Amino acid sequence: MVPKVVRKWEQRALEGLQYIPDTRGTHDCRGHYTESNPVTQQLGAEATVNPPKMLPQRVVRASALRNAMAASRRLPTIQRRGFLPSQFSDKKVIDEKYPDFPRLSEAQDPGMNGGYINPPRIKRQFRDPYATWWDPQERRNFGEPVHEDNDMMGIFSPWEYTWTTTGPGLIMVGTFIAVFLGVSGVVYLNYPDRVAFPREFENGLERELGGPGAVRARMAGDEDP
């Protein structure tokens, strides 16, 4: 019986099919086949057969697949997706090239701007417009440090009027309002009446304009416009 079973396993393996052994036999945990023939059981003998090996093509294909899966599991996620070099994907290399900015105390960074040293806070409009600037429009030289509030100090920021102060400015505005109201009152009191008067029609031309309910013309007794 043993040679027949071995030949059956070899034949099934060559055909690429899985062999299901006879129900009279059993498999142990190691994959060995044991025939449960009553005659051999009475004699106390057991026939053990080792399972055949897979075809070489299947072995090569399975081993290559296992190696590829193991290699892909070992790679980082970013390399499995794009296979980038370590200088772009390794966290240690990135941390060395782009370290975090050091946290400064309030004494070291009173302006809370990362230790940036600002130039004097002078608005560009107050600089000499006739000086020899590298940028005459911005009144700025080449390579000159820029203030962190440059958007509020540049030449295109809101213009500051310094030719007067608050007190004289309020006096001038109040004088303008008083003069405007005074002139308006004088004109209102002395403005002449109209030289024309609206014409009146008999019965307001009610019948001629469509009868009762129609918009009629002015008639005697109506209020002055």
Side-chain angles (χ1 to χ4, degrees):
M1 289 298 293
V2 174
K4 291 182 180 180
V5 174
V6 173
R7 284 196 296 272
K8 284 184 178 181
W9 275 95
E10 292 176 351
Q11 183 179 1
R12 297 294 185 180
L14 291 175
E15 293 176 357
L17 300 175
Q18 182 180 3
Y19 172 69
I20 301 176
D22 191 21
T23 55
R24 294 176 299 175
T26 58
H27 287 273
D28 58 4
C29 61
R30 294 173 295 178
H32 295 165
Y33 175 75
T34 303
E35 184 181 11
S36 58
N37 194 334
V39 177
T40 56
Q41 289 181 358
Q42 291 178 1
L43 296 176
E46 293 183 352
T48 303
V49 181
N50 294 328
K53 297 181 179 179
M54 299 179 65
L55 293 176
Q57 294 85 353
R58 291 192 175 185
V59 173
V60 173
R61 190 182 303 113
S63 61
L65 181 60
R66 284 195 299 270
N67 294 336
M69 292 177 63
S72 64
R73 284 195 297 267
R74 287 194 296 267
L75 291 174
T77 304
I78 189 171
Q79 289 190 8
R80 275 184 284 170
R81 292 179 179 176
F83 292 97
L84 297 175
S86 60
Q87 58 181 347
F88 299 111
S89 60
D90 193 355
K91 188 176 184 302
K92 294 182 179 179
V93 177
I94 295 176
D95 292 340
E96 292 178 359
K97 293 174 63 176
Y98 308 102
D100 295 336
F101 193 81
R103 297 183 177 274
L104 304 177
S105 62
E106 294 184 1
Q108 296 174 341
D109 187 14
M112 301 300 291
N113 56 2
Y116 181 74
I117 301 176
N118 286 310
R121 190 181 180 87
I122 301 175
K123 200 173 178 63
R124 298 284 173 80
Q125 75 172 82
F126 300 127
R127 290 186 173 184
D128 186 8
Y130 303 103
T132 56
W133 302 104
W134 178 78
D135 185 357
Q137 183 176 6
E138 281 283 346
R139 302 176 188 177
R140 179 175 177 269
N141 291 323
F142 181 80
E144 181 181 355
V146 179
H147 199 278
E148 62 179 347
D149 295 330
N150 184 66
D151 55 340
M152 297 186 299
M153 301 175 61
I155 198 66
F156 295 106
S157 59
W159 196 264
E160 292 185 10
Y161 296 93
T162 58
W163 59 273
T164 185
T165 57
T166 305
L170 292 176
I171 293 175
M172 287 185 284
V173 172
T175 303
F176 169 77
I177 295 175
V179 171
F180 177 78
L181 294 179
V183 172
S184 299
V186 171
V187 171
Y188 177 78
L189 295 175
N190 296 279
Y191 195 79
D193 294 336
R194 291 193 303 173
V195 296
F197 193 81
R199 185 178 178 183
E200 296 178 356
F201 297 90
E202 183 180 358
N203 296 327
L205 300 177
E206 182 178 2
R207 185 182 62 180
E208 290 79 1
L209 293 176
V215 180
R216 62 177 179 81
R218 180 179 174 80
M219 60 180 296
D222 290 344
E223 296 181 359
D224 294 338

